[in-house]
Amino acid sequence: MLSISLVTAVAFTVFYSDGSVQAVVFADRTLQKPLEEILSSFSQERGVEVSYVYGSSGFVLAQLELRGSGDLYVSDGWEFAVKGLEEGLLDEDYFEVVGCIRLALIVAEGNPLGVSSLRDALLRDDVVVALGNPEHVTAGVLAWELLEELGLEETVLKKVGDGGVVLVDSASQAAYYVVMGLADAAVTFNVYTNLMGEGVDEVYDPAVASVKAPVVVALPVNRGPLAEDLFNFVLGHSYVFADYGVEVGGSC
């Protein structure tokens, strides 16, 4: 039975009358698998229930702000992690990069349309490309910056209008669109070539693959008593991220 909540009505570390504690993690869905593998061990060792709020990095940061507090924030890039610092939601003393991920151009297994590069995909009329919405999706922000460098932003704007490009709400959704046949190609993170197994292939485009983003682990300013333990546990087990395509300790 729930007895009290910590700090305010929207606080997220929750105490129960039997003395147990629940911790809540706000994380980009791209990092769900390694994070849950790590924190399942934490949960077992400490007898603590850990629950998750998933979505794009921008979405979960907004949820953290809306709900007032939390116990851990995990982002797949600088954009929204730095925004969290600037807006006073995250603690700069507990803000660490555990590794890097990179962008990848993915297609359905076997590359049935013979896509050769991002430019090829965007200039063709028979290819639908999924991109993350740059308003709240790190992969979308990075993809849009790349499109500007390649001089393709006008092409993309036109294709958004005619359905040749679809803007999605997360890097994971971009990958799922390819798997489900809703898009023929997607710019997402390389971890999805691992997570989707045989459902997708990567078309190696050097321009896309050169774009990297940090995996950031941070503590909210308003947090519960388990937060620092969670933070240190994730850092101490950061090697797990390597099994999912993260370059642990790499330079971004």
Side-chain angles (χ1 to χ4, degrees):
M1 179 177 179
L2 181 66
S3 54
I4 59 173
S5 61
L6 181 69
V7 183
T8 71
V10 292
F12 252 84
T13 296
V14 181
F15 293 86
Y16 292 88
S17 58
D18 64 358
S20 62
V21 184
Q22 180 190 72
V24 178
V25 174
F26 294 78
D28 193 287
R29 188 171 293 280
T30 296
L31 303 162
Q32 177 179 352
K33 292 293 187 179
L35 192 60
E36 290 187 4
E37 182 175 328
I38 293 169
L39 292 184
S40 65
S41 297
F42 178 87
S43 181
Q44 292 170 10
E45 289 182 16
R46 296 289 300 271
V48 171
E49 180 183 351
V50 180
S51 60
Y52 303 84
V53 177
Y54 286 122
S56 66
S57 293
F59 173 81
V60 295
L61 183 67
Q63 291 300 302
L64 174 61
E65 180 177 23
L66 178 66
R67 303 189 189 197
S69 71
D71 298 297
L72 196 68
Y73 174 79
V74 184
S75 173
D76 61 358
W78 289 121
E79 182 80 11
F80 299 103
V82 170
K83 181 180 180 182
L85 288 177
E86 293 173 345
E87 295 185 352
L89 298 172
L90 302 178
D91 188 336
E92 64 180 4
D93 293 328
Y94 293 92
F95 187 96
E96 296 287 342
V97 174
V98 299
C100 300
I101 53 179
R102 62 171 177 82
L103 289 186
L105 176 64
I106 67 168
V107 295
E109 183 181 9
N111 193 9
L113 294 182
V115 173
S116 61
S117 67
L118 178 59
R119 183 180 295 276
D120 174 53
L122 290 172
L123 294 180
R124 287 170 54 174
D125 293 331
D126 62 335
V127 177
V128 175
V129 180
L131 299 174
N133 187 329
E135 292 186 1
H136 58 92
V137 180
T138 304
V141 173
L142 296 174
W144 200 264
E145 292 173 351
L146 176 61
L147 292 167
E148 291 177 344
E149 291 178 14
L150 297 175
L152 292 170
E153 66 273 25
E154 292 300 324
T155 298
V156 171
L157 287 172
K158 180 178 182 299
K159 295 200 76 169
V160 169
D162 64 20
V165 167
V166 290
L167 297 181
V168 296
D169 291 328
S170 65
S172 62
Q173 191 176 46
Y176 280 115
Y177 263 45
V178 172
V179 172
M180 294 185 294
L182 299 174
D184 303 301
V187 178
T188 185
F189 284 119
N190 65 304
V191 298
Y192 288 103
T193 60
N194 294 39
L195 295 176
M196 298 299 176
E198 297 180 354
V200 301
D201 286 332
E202 178 180 0
V203 173
Y204 188 80
D205 182 332
V208 176
S210 68
V211 180
K212 294 184 177 182
V215 173
V216 178
V217 178
L219 288 188
V221 170
N222 295 322
R223 56 183 183 260
L226 292 175
E228 291 184 26
D229 288 348
L230 280 169
F231 180 82
N232 291 325
F233 197 88
V234 171
L235 294 185
H237 294 76
S238 60
Y239 56 85
V240 173
F241 287 96
D243 294 335
Y244 296 88
V246 177
E247 184 184 346
V248 175
S251 173
C252 303

